[in-house]
Every structure is written in structure tokens, then in C-alpha cells.
Amino acid sequence: MDKILINTANRHLRKTDTVMAQLMKRCDPITFTTTRPPHYHALVRAIISQQLSVKAAGTIQKRLQTKHGGRYFKAERMLKLKSTTLRGCGLSNNKVRYVRSLAQAITSGGLNFRKLVKQDDDSVRDILTQYPGIGQWSADMFLITSLRRPDVFPIGDLVLRKSMQRHYRLSDDTQHDKYISIANAWRPYRTIASLYLWKTSQ
């Protein structure tokens, strides 16, 4: 996503949603760095973050990076680490299985990122969710952080829903259909809107 797309998205969001327009005034415009995390790294990071606070996930990621060596996680290196080492970094038994099975799929050629990136959003989700530990939320995070797709609404993200509850005055028991209905006004820039909601979640 470049500056032209983000500027177009900003204009669209201000025009179509008055609540979004107000919260956008409270924070700096969304920007993206030119550096993207490698695809396997992005998926491992999403797996680590599942059902954990940002702080806890960050601690585990740093420990794992130290054992793994290098800035980004690589499938080949991950497979060389023992399961006991991965658990010692703070990964649960299930998450150890998830990151290893994903690494095996990559090294065997079963998961080909060159082909994956050419697929549309729904196809990417369908492919990724076939692997253990990759659900809707993880697939959506991958689409946003690694593929930079502009129209992703990660409804499974609790922080995002909490932010919408505060800004749109929704109750805790609001059904997902309501969130989706609100987000429809943001199309085709739901990713940008979601990023603003994360920035103003506190």
C-alpha cells in the first residue's frame, strides 16, 4: 500500500463514516514501512500472539528469536530447534506443533508462498487455514502485515472489537453481524480503518 492508496482511503473513510472521521482526527495518518516481514516470520508471529497480550507475545518472540538466531524466523532454522527448546521460550505444546508443521510444509514445498501471494484474499484464507494453528484471525493478520491487502476486516481481533465498542457505543454482547455492517461502509479500505481503530484502542 502506497501513499496514494492511503490518502484515497483516508478521504473515503472521512466521507462515509462520521465516527471514523472523528477518531482519525485524534491520531497521525496511517503509514507503512517499505520493509515487510518474511511470510513464515509473519505467520509464526501470529501464532505466538494467539490468546496472549501484546506484552506476553513480545517476550516469547524475543526469547525465540534469541534461540533461533537472526532477525526473522526461517522454516529451516525452526526445524533444527528441539521441541523442548521451543517450549522453554514459552510456546505451548500446541504452538510448538503449529510452528513446526508449518515449517515442514514450507520446506517440503507443500506451502508455496510465491503461488500464495497471487491468490485473492479468500483463497489465501482457505489455503492457510488448512494448516493447524492457522485460523481466520491469523490468516487476516497475514493478509494485513505480510501481503498488505487493503480491504481486510479482522473481526476475530478482540482489541479491534473493543475499540469499535468504545467508538461506536456497542455493548459487549453485540453480535458480529453488527460489526460487519459498520465495516461495510469502509470498503474497499477496511484494513486502513482497522489500523486506525487499533491506534485509538487505548
Side-chain angles (χ1 to χ4, degrees):
M1 285 182 276
D2 57 23
K3 290 183 179 180
I4 294 176
L5 185 146
I6 293 175
N7 288 337
T8 301
N10 288 341
R11 290 193 295 270
H12 174 79
L13 295 172
R14 292 190 188 99
K15 181 179 179 180
T16 60
D17 188 331
T18 56
V19 175
M20 181 62 63
Q22 289 300 313
L23 71 88
M24 288 170 66
K25 291 180 180 179
R26 303 178 213 167
C27 57
D28 296 329
I30 296 297
T31 59
F32 278 92
T33 61
T34 56
T35 303
R36 303 187 191 189
H39 300 321
Y40 177 67
H41 178 89
L43 288 171
V44 170
R45 191 169 60 185
I47 290 171
I48 293 172
S49 300
Q50 291 169 8
Q51 299 179 330
L52 292 178
S53 67
V54 173
K55 183 178 180 179
T59 298
I60 293 172
Q61 181 174 326
K62 287 179 181 178
R63 290 174 184 165
L64 187 54
Q65 283 174 312
T66 299
K67 293 293 184 180
H68 170 277
R71 181 180 179 185
Y72 296 118
F73 298 124
K74 295 182 178 180
E76 296 81 1
R77 288 188 184 181
M78 192 67 75
L79 289 175
K80 292 180 180 180
L81 295 176
K82 295 180 179 179
S83 296
T84 52
T85 300
L86 297 179
R87 287 195 294 271
C89 293
L91 291 178
S92 66
N93 287 331
N94 280 338
K95 289 184 179 181
V96 169
R97 179 167 61 88
Y98 299 158
V99 299
R100 288 180 65 83
S101 62
L102 193 61
Q104 289 168 349
I106 293 167
T107 56
S108 69
L111 177 57
N112 186 316
F113 286 123
R114 289 185 179 180
K115 293 181 180 179
L116 185 71
V117 299
K118 298 177 182 179
Q119 304 295 319
D120 61 31
D121 293 353
D122 287 337
S123 296
V124 170
R125 292 187 185 98
D126 289 342
I127 292 169
L128 289 180
T129 53
Q130 294 176 25
Y131 296 94
I134 305 295
Q136 176 81 25
W137 179 83
S138 297
D140 283 345
M141 291 300 101
F142 178 80
L143 285 165
I144 291 173
T145 62
S146 197
L147 301 191
R148 304 280 176 89
R149 299 292 173 86
D151 193 32
V152 180
F153 178 52
I155 192 171
D157 190 86
L158 180 60
V159 174
L160 178 67
R161 295 200 308 275
K162 286 291 185 182
S163 185
M164 289 184 71
Q165 287 172 18
R166 182 160 66 89
H167 291 296
Y168 290 86
R169 299 182 180 181
L170 306 175
S171 62
D172 288 341
D173 60 354
T174 298
Q175 297 298 306
H176 279 197
D177 287 350
K178 180 61 176 178
Y179 295 100
I180 294 172
S181 176
I182 293 172
N184 279 337
W186 310 333
R187 289 177 180 272
Y189 306 110
R190 289 177 296 173
T191 295
I192 308 302
S194 297
L195 292 170
Y196 279 116
L197 286 162
W198 276 319
K199 288 188 71 171
T200 57
S201 61
Q202 302 300 323

